[in-house]
Structure formats: C-alpha cells, structure tokens
Amino acid sequence: LPHHKDLVAERSQINKNTKPWDRVIALGATIPGLILLIVAGLDARFGWSIGLSIPWKIAGFLLIALGDTAFAWSMVYNAYFAVTVRIQEERGHQVATGGPYRIVRHPAYLGMLFNTAGMLLLFSNVWAIIPAAVMVFFLILRTALEDKTLQAELPGYLEFTRQTRYRLIPGIW
C-alpha cells in the first residue's frame, strides 16, 4: 500500500460519478453495522444474551478471517475496486476476471457476508441479528444493483457474466 498511495486514495473516496442509489444503500448498510457493534458491546456489558460456547466463538473468528481474506483478495485482483459503485472511465475501467472473480462476480461482498456471520457468532448476541439482517438485505440489494449497472455500462462485463455465473454465493446466486 505505501507504494500505491494514489490507488488507496482513489479506492477510499466518494466520487461525483457515484451512482445516486449507492449513496443511500451504503448508508443503509453502514448504520446497521454500527448498531450491531453498539448492541454487541452493550450486551457484553449488561449480559443480555446467554452467549455461545468457545468453539462457536472460534468459528466466528475463523469466519471473520475468511471474510477479510476474501475482501483483501478482491482488492488485489481488481485495480478498479472502490468504496462506491461507478464506472471509472477516466482510468480505463476493465472487468476484473482473475483470482476470486473466477468464483463469484462480487467476492468482496461475499467476504462481508462471512464477516457478518462471524461477528454474530463471536459476539454471541441474539439482538445483533436484527441489524445484521438489515445489513445483509442492503448488501444483497447493492450486489444486484451493482451487477445490473456493470452489465449495462462496463464493456465486457456481460460476457464475463457468462464465464462467472454467480454474483455472490457459488451455486446459488
């Protein structure tokens, strides 16, 4: 990352070409994520849930590690990876087809699903299921809208969908 400061800056900013719907969906996924962490912290403090055994918490930690790995792997193989949905015409945007993109078209979102499931197990909080479900809803909605945008606006993406059939979950969707 220190050698690619321009790429890091590009990936972390909200650009004027960001799709308007993405700004709403990003908030819809971010706010429940923060609520999940707050609820889990309050539960740890006040003991609202009975908690899960250590093997379940280890499984949660492993899911988080798997999710982080999928997310990072996606960033490595996609030079156009960004926090918002937009076609980066000024950078000659091309379809990412290597690494995790051979398995699913949106592997970073799959990593986020693993992270969410892992947090639920690790924190062992039944109340955190509610904000987690809202996060997952917005994540799936964003995946569908991003995929539709890429099919319509990114040259070569429609052909890519024939090679990598599944958007988010291999063998399902």
Side-chain angles (χ1 to χ4, degrees):
L1 291 178
H3 302 294
H4 301 285
K5 292 180 182 177
D6 56 332
L7 184 58
V8 172
E10 172 66 30
R11 287 179 170 178
S12 61
Q13 67 182 342
I14 296 178
N15 189 284
K16 63 180 178 182
N17 297 331
T18 296
K19 298 296 178 187
W21 53 261
D22 192 36
R23 296 172 192 264
V24 175
I25 290 175
L27 274 176
T30 302
I31 292 171
L34 294 173
I35 292 171
L36 185 150
L37 295 173
I38 291 168
V39 168
L42 290 172
D43 180 31
R45 171 69 176 95
F46 296 111
W48 297 334
S49 299
I50 59 169
L52 294 173
S53 63
I54 295 296
W56 284 105
K57 291 182 182 229
I58 292 170
F61 176 77
L62 292 174
L63 280 172
I64 291 170
L66 181 62
D68 287 347
T69 300
F71 195 88
W73 193 23
S74 302
M75 289 181 72
V76 167
Y77 273 90
N78 186 352
Y80 306 96
F81 190 102
V83 296
T84 63
V85 177
R86 68 182 188 88
I87 305 301
Q88 300 173 39
E89 294 171 358
E90 73 281 359
R91 295 183 61 226
H93 198 155
Q94 295 179 1
V95 179
T97 58
Y101 294 91
R102 294 178 311 218
I103 303 165
V104 292
R105 297 194 300 255
H106 302 279
Y109 297 151
L110 178 59
M112 293 168 80
L113 288 177
F114 284 133
N115 265 336
T116 303
M119 283 191 290
L120 289 174
L121 291 174
L122 186 63
F123 297 149
S124 304
N125 179 284
V126 69
W127 296 107
I129 292 171
I130 297 167
V134 174
M135 273 177 44
V136 168
F137 167 78
F138 279 107
L139 184 67
I140 290 170
L141 178 61
R142 186 178 195 206
T143 302
L145 291 173
E146 181 174 341
D147 204 70
K148 185 177 178 180
T149 298
L150 293 172
Q151 286 183 40
E153 299 179 24
L154 183 60
Y157 192 83
L158 193 57
E159 292 81 27
F160 169 65
T161 64
R162 293 183 190 111
Q163 295 169 357
T164 303
R165 294 182 46 214
Y166 300 104
R167 293 180 204 170
L168 189 61
I169 302 170
I172 297 174
W173 184 69

